[in-house]
Amino acid sequence: MAIVTLTTDWGTKDHYLGSVKGKLLKHIPDVNIVDISHDITPFNINQAAYILKSCFRDFPDGTIHLLGVNSDASPDFPHVAIKAHNQYFIGADNGLFNLIFEEKPEKIIALEIIQDTEKYTFSTKDVFTKACQMIINGTPIEKLGFERSDLTKMMSFKPIVENDSDGHTNIIGKIIYIDNYENAISNISKTLFEEHAKNRNFRISFNSFKNAITKISDSYSDVAISEACALFDSNDLLEISVNQGNAGGLLGLKQDTKIRITFEPQ
Amino acid sequence: MAIVTLTTDWGTKDHYLGSVKGKLLKHIPDVNIVDISHDITPFNINQAAYILKSCFRDFPDGTIHLLGVNSDASPDFPHVAIKAHNQYFIGADNGLFNLIFEEKPEKIIALEIIQDTEKYTFSTKDVFTKACQMIINGTPIEKLGFERSDLTKMMSFKPIVENDSDGHTNIIGKIIYIDNYENAISNISKTLFEEHAKNRNFRISFNSFKNAITKISDSYSDVAISEACALFDSNDLLEISVNQGNAGGLLGLKQDTKIRITFEPQ
Amino acid sequence: MAIVTLTTDWGTKDHYLGSVKGKLLKHIPDVNIVDISHDITPFNINQAAYILKSCFRDFPDGTIHLLGVNSDASPDFPHVAIKAHNQYFIGADNGLFNLIFEEKPEKIIALEIIQDTEKYTFSTKDVFTKACQMIINGTPIEKLGFERSDLTKMMSFKPIVENDSDGHTNIIGKIIYIDNYENAISNISKTLFEEHAKNRNFRISFNSFKNAITKISDSYSDVAISEACALFDSNDLLEISVNQGNAGGLLGLKQDTKIRITFEPQ
């Protein structure tokens, strides 16, 4: 049974979801449609990329992911079908995909699909479901259009590493996502952390929060209820949390808040 | 695999959805349940009708649509099963269905279904799922009750057309729905527009918005980011939008705001 | 087709749902995943218990219910798989399950499952989906860990019954849930009501609401639009409602508001 996921900024009230699901079921009767998220902030491709990047690896090979965020095509940002990690991704190449993949995908095909309608406001329904159907019916992805040499690049802020003359090392990153519990997820990866940690003591600080965090926890309950902790989330990104509390509100953490890790001299 | 859709005002927090899905799966093991919307404003049959009308045609033949909005039965508003467009619709005939269909449906059956419980507050679970099961098991719709001569009529405001003595033509409609992006959808159809346009110049105006819109766009990106545009939506209704912006908030468009199109004399 | 339901406090924006659904589909290709609710107030096991208790009986035998609310394990609150009512329930035994079941479940197994990761913040994905897969593949539930003698008890406020010297009987309960329409559901069951009613006249009062309710309705439309009524909900709990109105807001009913039923002397 083919799996098609949907990640959109449509919300769940309007008819858009019904239209796309109806159309998929009409043309691919045994399709299994999975909602990833429809609550992306409108037009926010950073959020959409973070969410899909955080879960696509959990899906089986062959899964097709439709991206209904900022999906209008333009000469610079064509509709594309991408093959990567044995899965497929369909959307507009507006920078979103470059935020999802660390490496260049196996195939990037700019779609040349003839719509059944003359409407250009609902690409997910009029273009992406057709591409989806072709892939599921066995059409090689190359036949969906012409190969594109690379993805549109989107600048994303990478953590900075600074070494002080007195032997301190600082990693300066930022919060990239606040989840439903108001856990604050940063762009500092476990790999980067470990590369510089070398068993040194460290302090994680942000805002004017006085009690810097000085250890990495394994689970929220490693600290007392209502106490702040830091841990690596299921995608190995540094997360600042409060056990059974809302770190975002309690600690003043928001999208883009700077996070500093200071390692002591060895 | 039988498809059953749900359009309700239940929200997604409570147990109502779980109850109905569980009951459907218990009695129709291979049913494919599709959520259309559960975020209808409570008791708002106009919204429910607009949303289902906008997407039911995308579903395959044989789909059964359950309407869980204002679904208590009364002598005037009985529960009905309707056959139309090769699909089925089940709900209370309180005016909602008359807003969905342009023409009288093929069959309107007032349900005579014996409930398993003595509860009368959860018709979707206790009545509609049973009707659903009977239709899927092949019971002809006529056997579900007695034929009803017509749908309950619900007045809906239709656009007005006025011809001035100096040759201007005015179409006066209103906003009937604000979507998740705050696009504002009116009740002025492309058919009505074209009937009066006859290649004349025109101005679309509303509120005290000074810069009337003077052309119909094909897609949002036909205008600059943050600029207002008008286009016909995927259901061919005139929609007022702002490219990557929220037209509702930015232009003061709400449910029931009047929209005027003034065509110049020929 | 195996049915797995999800009841969580994750919301629907983040990637958590996508991760768990992807993982389930990867390991159990023909699983049918049903969302019960993801809008539980974070960490609120009372809400989660009320919602699942209100709908699990509607599901077919063999259904597996995953509880993603407060699901971190601890020595006192281990992860468990429970067999009850011919269905399965998986979560942390933190008191939640004791609120769902009236009687001790048939089997309570403390899970001993070896995770594939060293992450301890996402039990539903890393532990519960594995337990789920084992049950669906036919592993007897006893093989998932060691038997636990009983569930963790969670105090829940039970209604109090008082008999006055002049022959009045009072049942004093409280509101335990406000639903999407702002119907207010109490912890007073139909059984308790009938045990004390004995055909006596009664008054249902709360707050300083002057017009006490003096009868039990069968459906909302037994009273005029905007009028208050009391009825037994689909789970036979006393519910205070306003016909086509929001009882919570209109009558000042909230979680924990006291509800008093006073029966007249015989």
Side-chain angles (χ1 to χ4, degrees):
Chain A
M1 197 192 259
I3 297 170
V4 176
T5 81
L6 296 170
T7 304
T8 79
D9 59 0
W10 305 340
T12 50
K13 177 172 180 177
D14 302 340
H15 70 275
Y16 304 117
L17 264 177
S19 282
V20 167
K21 292 185 176 180
K23 188 139 191 234
L24 283 168
L25 287 163
K26 188 184 275 185
H27 295 288
I28 316 164
D30 63 346
V31 69
N32 193 346
I33 304 167
V34 177
D35 299 298
I36 289 185
S37 180
H38 302 294
D39 299 335
I40 309 287
T41 302
F43 312 112
N44 192 325
I45 62 174
N46 282 282
Q47 264 184 23
Y50 170 76
I51 288 170
L52 189 54
K53 182 177 184 171
S54 300
C55 68
F56 80 81
R57 286 179 187 80
D58 293 312
F59 282 85
D61 284 0
T63 297
I64 302 177
H65 303 281
L66 304 191
L67 273 292
V69 181
N70 243 12
S71 59
D72 280 0
S74 68
D76 286 345
F77 300 160
H79 289 150
V80 292
I82 291 167
K83 185 167 186 189
H85 301 268
N86 289 322
Q87 302 187 29
Y88 299 92
F89 302 79
I90 301 174
D93 182 17
N94 51 26
L96 196 163
F97 292 113
N98 180 238
L99 295 169
I100 295 182
F101 303 113
E102 308 284 333
E103 295 170 8
K104 198 187 146 189
E106 186 181 336
K107 288 276 174 198
I108 310 165
I109 305 297
L111 297 176
E112 289 185 306
I113 289 194
I114 295 158
Q115 294 195 190
D116 299 328
T117 71
E118 291 184 11
K119 300 286 168 193
Y120 297 96
T121 57
F122 200 177
S123 309
T124 307
K125 178 181 163 198
D126 294 324
V127 179
F128 302 170
T129 63
K130 286 192 89 171
C132 206
Q133 188 187 350
M134 292 169 80
I135 292 171
I136 290 172
N137 289 344
T139 308
I141 188 172
E142 297 81 1
K143 295 279 170 83
L144 270 60
F146 56 91
E147 193 141 357
R148 191 165 159 82
S149 58
D150 206 348
L151 291 173
T152 301
K153 300 295 182 203
M154 168 65 72
M155 287 296 292
S156 73
F157 177 86
K158 304 267 186 210
I160 294 163
V161 180
E162 295 173 346
N163 288 297
D164 286 3
S165 55
D166 59 2
H168 287 95
T169 303
N170 289 286
I171 300 177
I172 301 151
K174 66 167 189 173
I175 297 303
I176 56 170
Y177 193 77
I178 304 285
D179 78 6
N180 189 53
Y181 301 95
E182 297 191 28
N183 296 317
I185 293 107
S186 78
N187 62 347
I188 301 174
S189 70
K190 190 176 182 183
T191 311
L192 183 68
F193 178 88
E194 290 183 340
E195 183 185 326
H196 296 282
K198 298 167 187 157
N199 290 315
R200 292 189 278 175
N201 289 330
F202 61 89
R203 300 163 46 85
I204 301 174
S205 56
F206 42 86
N207 295 335
S208 54
F209 183 58
K210 287 191 180 153
N211 307 303
I213 297 167
T214 57
K215 67 165 204 162
I216 301 291
S217 300
D218 281 327
S219 76
Y220 303 124
S221 51
D222 281 6
V223 299
I225 287 179
S226 299
E227 199 173 301
C229 64
L231 39 72
F232 290 105
D233 78 352
S234 49
N235 298 295
D236 276 338
L237 292 174
L238 186 76
E239 173 183 323
I240 312 294
S241 303
V242 167
N243 186 14
Q244 298 199 21
N246 56 321
L250 291 171
L251 306 177
L253 291 165
K254 298 179 185 165
Q255 174 90 26
D256 292 330
T257 299
K258 289 276 173 298
I259 302 293
R260 173 186 294 261
I261 309 178
T262 306
F263 296 97
E264 291 191 358
Q266 266 173 324
Chain B
M1 198 191 259
I3 297 170
V4 175
T5 81
L6 296 170
T7 304
T8 79
D9 59 0
W10 306 340
T12 50
K13 177 172 180 177
D14 302 340
H15 69 276
Y16 304 117
L17 264 176
S19 282
V20 167
K21 292 184 176 180
K23 189 142 191 231
L24 284 168
L25 286 162
K26 188 184 274 186
H27 296 288
I28 316 164
D30 63 346
V31 69
N32 193 344
I33 304 167
V34 177
D35 299 299
I36 289 186
S37 181
H38 302 294
D39 299 335
I40 309 288
T41 302
F43 312 112
N44 191 325
I45 61 175
N46 282 281
Q47 263 184 23
Y50 170 76
I51 288 170
L52 189 54
K53 182 177 184 171
S54 299
C55 68
F56 80 81
R57 286 180 187 79
D58 293 312
F59 282 84
D61 284 0
T63 297
I64 302 177
H65 303 280
L66 304 191
L67 273 292
V69 181
N70 242 12
S71 59
D72 280 0
S74 68
D76 285 346
F77 300 160
H79 289 150
V80 291
I82 291 167
K83 184 167 186 189
H85 301 269
N86 290 322
Q87 302 188 30
Y88 300 92
F89 302 79
I90 300 175
D93 182 17
N94 52 26
L96 195 162
F97 292 112
N98 180 239
L99 295 169
I100 295 181
F101 303 113
E102 308 284 332
E103 294 170 9
K104 197 187 146 189
E106 186 181 335
K107 288 274 176 200
I108 310 165
I109 305 296
L111 296 177
E112 289 184 306
I113 288 192
I114 295 159
Q115 293 195 190
D116 299 328
T117 71
E118 291 183 10
K119 300 286 168 193
Y120 297 95
T121 56
F122 200 177
S123 309
T124 307
K125 178 181 163 199
D126 295 323
V127 179
F128 302 169
T129 63
K130 286 193 89 171
C132 206
Q133 188 187 349
M134 292 169 80
I135 292 171
I136 290 171
N137 288 344
T139 309
I141 188 172
E142 297 81 0
K143 295 280 170 83
L144 270 60
F146 56 91
E147 192 141 358
R148 191 166 160 81
S149 57
D150 206 348
L151 291 173
T152 301
K153 300 295 183 202
M154 168 65 72
M155 287 296 292
S156 73
F157 177 86
K158 304 268 186 208
I160 294 164
V161 180
E162 295 173 346
N163 288 297
D164 287 2
S165 55
D166 60 1
H168 288 95
T169 304
N170 289 285
I171 300 177
I172 301 151
K174 66 167 189 174
I175 297 303
I176 56 169
Y177 193 77
I178 304 285
D179 79 7
N180 189 53
Y181 301 94
E182 298 191 29
N183 296 317
I185 294 108
S186 78
N187 62 348
I188 302 174
S189 70
K190 190 175 182 184
T191 310
L192 183 69
F193 178 89
E194 290 183 340
E195 182 185 327
H196 296 281
K198 297 166 187 159
N199 289 315
R200 292 189 278 175
N201 289 330
F202 61 89
R203 299 162 47 85
I204 301 174
S205 56
F206 41 87
N207 296 335
S208 54
F209 183 58
K210 287 191 179 154
N211 307 304
I213 297 167
T214 56
K215 67 165 203 162
I216 301 292
S217 299
D218 282 327
S219 76
Y220 303 124
S221 51
D222 281 6
V223 299
I225 287 179
S226 299
E227 198 174 303
C229 64
L231 39 71
F232 289 105
D233 78 352
S234 49
N235 298 295
D236 276 338
L237 292 174
L238 185 77
E239 173 183 323
I240 311 295
S241 302
V242 167
N243 186 13
Q244 298 198 22
N246 56 322
L250 292 171
L251 306 177
L253 291 165
K254 298 179 185 166
Q255 175 90 25
D256 292 331
T257 300
K258 290 275 173 301
I259 302 293
R260 172 186 293 261
I261 310 178
T262 306
F263 296 97
E264 291 190 359
Q266 268 174 322
Chain C
M1 197 192 260
I3 297 170
V4 176
T5 81
L6 296 170
T7 304
T8 79
D9 59 0
W10 305 341
T12 50
K13 177 172 180 177
D14 302 340
H15 70 276
Y16 304 118
L17 264 177
S19 282
V20 167
K21 292 184 176 180
K23 188 138 191 236
L24 284 168
L25 287 163
K26 188 185 274 186
H27 295 289
I28 316 164
D30 63 346
V31 69
N32 193 345
I33 304 167
V34 177
D35 300 298
I36 290 186
S37 180
H38 302 294
D39 299 335
I40 309 287
T41 302
F43 312 112
N44 192 324
I45 61 174
N46 282 282
Q47 264 184 24
Y50 170 76
I51 288 169
L52 189 54
K53 182 178 184 171
S54 300
C55 68
F56 80 81
R57 286 180 186 79
D58 293 311
F59 282 85
D61 284 0
T63 297
I64 302 177
H65 303 280
L66 304 191
L67 273 293
V69 181
N70 243 11
S71 59
D72 279 0
S74 68
D76 286 345
F77 300 160
H79 289 149
V80 292
I82 291 167
K83 184 167 185 188
H85 301 269
N86 290 322
Q87 302 188 30
Y88 300 92
F89 302 79
I90 301 174
D93 182 16
N94 52 26
L96 196 162
F97 292 113
N98 180 238
L99 295 169
I100 295 182
F101 303 113
E102 308 284 333
E103 295 170 8
K104 197 186 146 190
E106 186 181 335
K107 289 273 175 201
I108 310 166
I109 305 297
L111 296 177
E112 289 185 305
I113 288 193
I114 295 159
Q115 293 195 189
D116 299 328
T117 71
E118 291 183 11
K119 300 287 168 192
Y120 297 95
T121 56
F122 200 177
S123 310
T124 307
K125 178 181 162 198
D126 294 323
V127 179
F128 302 170
T129 62
K130 286 192 90 172
C132 206
Q133 188 187 349
M134 292 169 79
I135 292 171
I136 290 171
N137 289 343
T139 309
I141 187 172
E142 297 81 1
K143 296 279 170 85
L144 270 60
F146 56 92
E147 192 141 357
R148 191 166 159 81
S149 57
D150 206 348
L151 291 173
T152 301
K153 301 294 182 203
M154 169 64 72
M155 288 295 293
S156 74
F157 177 85
K158 303 268 186 209
I160 294 164
V161 180
E162 295 173 346
N163 288 297
D164 287 3
S165 55
D166 60 1
H168 287 95
T169 303
N170 289 286
I171 299 177
I172 301 150
K174 66 167 190 174
I175 297 303
I176 56 170
Y177 193 77
I178 304 285
D179 79 7
N180 189 54
Y181 301 94
E182 297 190 30
N183 296 317
I185 293 108
S186 78
N187 62 347
I188 302 174
S189 70
K190 189 176 182 184
T191 311
L192 183 69
F193 178 89
E194 290 183 341
E195 183 185 327
H196 296 282
K198 298 166 186 158
N199 289 315
R200 291 189 279 175
N201 288 331
F202 61 88
R203 299 163 47 85
I204 301 173
S205 56
F206 42 86
N207 296 336
S208 54
F209 183 57
K210 287 190 179 152
N211 307 304
I213 297 168
T214 57
K215 67 165 204 162
I216 301 291
S217 299
D218 281 327
S219 76
Y220 304 123
S221 51
D222 281 6
V223 299
I225 287 179
S226 299
E227 199 174 302
C229 63
L231 40 72
F232 289 105
D233 78 352
S234 49
N235 298 296
D236 276 338
L237 292 173
L238 186 77
E239 173 183 322
I240 312 294
S241 302
V242 167
N243 186 14
Q244 297 198 21
N246 56 321
L250 291 171
L251 306 176
L253 291 165
K254 298 180 186 166
Q255 175 90 26
D256 293 330
T257 300
K258 290 276 173 301
I259 302 293
R260 172 186 293 261
I261 310 179
T262 306
F263 296 97
E264 291 190 358
Q266 267 175 323

